[in-house]
Amino acid sequence: FLTLRRKVDRIVDEVERAVDRLVDLPLDAELSLLTSISNVCQMCNNESSDLLESVEKLYSNEVISTEVISNVQALAELVLERVVTLSSSLNETVLFEKRSVTCHPISPVNENPWDGVMQMIFQSRDASSSENLIPFSTRASYVEQKLSNAISSEKKLAAAVSNLASLEKNLATRSQELAMQTERMAELEGI
């Protein structure tokens, strides 16, 4: 459920970003561009409806099977992919006007510092190099993987530290035993 919840959270974040960019869409944009964006929005809408129906079915069942959860996760991944495609297509085209920012983009005054970071990236990049950019979904999955690796590494580190403490105790005990045996050997040699 945690993975599914994270995917749904990412879908919501991406939809919010896409809606912010759609609101700034100029009315005089090219018809072919508007048509392609409309088609992607329609696909997102259809797949989101399918996802909502499967989540409702998931919670209406008394017994939840892993098959049902995996189907819902697959639908969530598909919706996330579509929404990221929409967001990426809106990002790659310079359709929205820059909003006036009254504070530094990553200032604590800013509501969402990550939007500020993205805004700084958009401002600094060159439009001609947009085809060389790594898609957002690739970067997001890479960061998510690194974070999950760090979390699992932290657990391994805690286990290793506790194991190291027990090994240190064993070593101290062995050292004391050896010292006592050496002392006893010296006494026996003296006799």
Side-chain angles (χ1 to χ4, degrees), residues 24-88:
D24 293 333
L25 187 69
L27 296 175
D28 59 347
E30 292 181 26
L31 183 61
S32 61
L33 183 61
L34 292 175
T35 305
S36 67
I37 290 173
S38 174
N39 291 339
V40 174
C41 287
Q42 187 62 39
M43 285 190 295
C44 287
N45 190 21
N46 293 340
E47 290 162 0
S48 296
S49 297
D50 293 343
L51 176 62
L52 179 63
E53 288 174 11
S54 32
V55 167
E56 286 175 348
K57 287 178 186 176
L58 176 72
Y59 284 108
S60 67
N61 292 340
E62 290 182 16
V63 178
I64 299 174
S65 67
T66 56
E67 181 182 324
V68 173
I69 292 173
S70 62
N71 289 341
V72 173
Q73 284 180 339
L75 275 172
E77 190 65 38
L78 184 62
V79 170
L80 180 62
E81 183 180 318
R82 294 287 190 231
V83 172
V84 166
T85 302
L86 174 64
S87 186
S88 296

Side-chain angles (χ1 to χ4, degrees), residues 132-178:
N132 297 328
L133 292 175
I134 299 172
F136 174 78
S137 61
T138 306
R139 289 189 311 244
S141 63
Y142 176 75
V143 169
E144 184 179 1
Q145 180 184 19
K146 286 291 190 182
L147 286 173
S148 61
N149 287 345
I151 290 169
S152 65
S153 296
E154 185 177 350
K155 292 176 185 174
K156 290 177 186 176
L157 178 63
V161 166
S162 66
N163 192 16
L164 181 64
S166 68
L167 289 174
E168 285 176 347
K169 287 179 184 177
N170 287 340
L171 181 62
T173 305
R174 297 283 183 191
S175 296
Q176 286 177 350
E177 288 175 1
L178 279 174

Side-chain angles (χ1 to χ4, degrees), residues 86-168:
L86 174 64
S87 186
S88 296
S89 65
L90 289 171
N91 287 341
E92 290 174 5
T93 57
V94 185
L95 291 176
F96 50 94
E97 305 215 358
K98 305 284 187 237
R99 291 184 176 157
S100 62
V101 178
T102 58
C103 61
H104 192 272
I106 54 176
S107 166
V109 176
N110 194 355
E111 278 183 31
N112 190 349
W114 287 110
D115 280 343
V117 170
M118 294 304 294
Q119 191 178 46
M120 287 173 42
I121 291 170
F122 290 141
Q123 289 173 356
S124 67
R125 76 176 182 174
D126 182 22
S128 64
S129 66
S130 64
E131 62 272 358
N132 297 328
L133 292 175
I134 299 172
F136 174 78
S137 61
T138 306
R139 289 189 311 244
S141 63
Y142 176 75
V143 169
E144 184 179 1
Q145 180 184 19
K146 286 291 190 182
L147 286 173
S148 61
N149 287 345
I151 290 169
S152 65
S153 296
E154 185 177 350
K155 292 176 185 174
K156 290 177 186 176
L157 178 63
V161 166
S162 66
N163 192 16
L164 181 64
S166 68
L167 289 174
E168 285 176 347

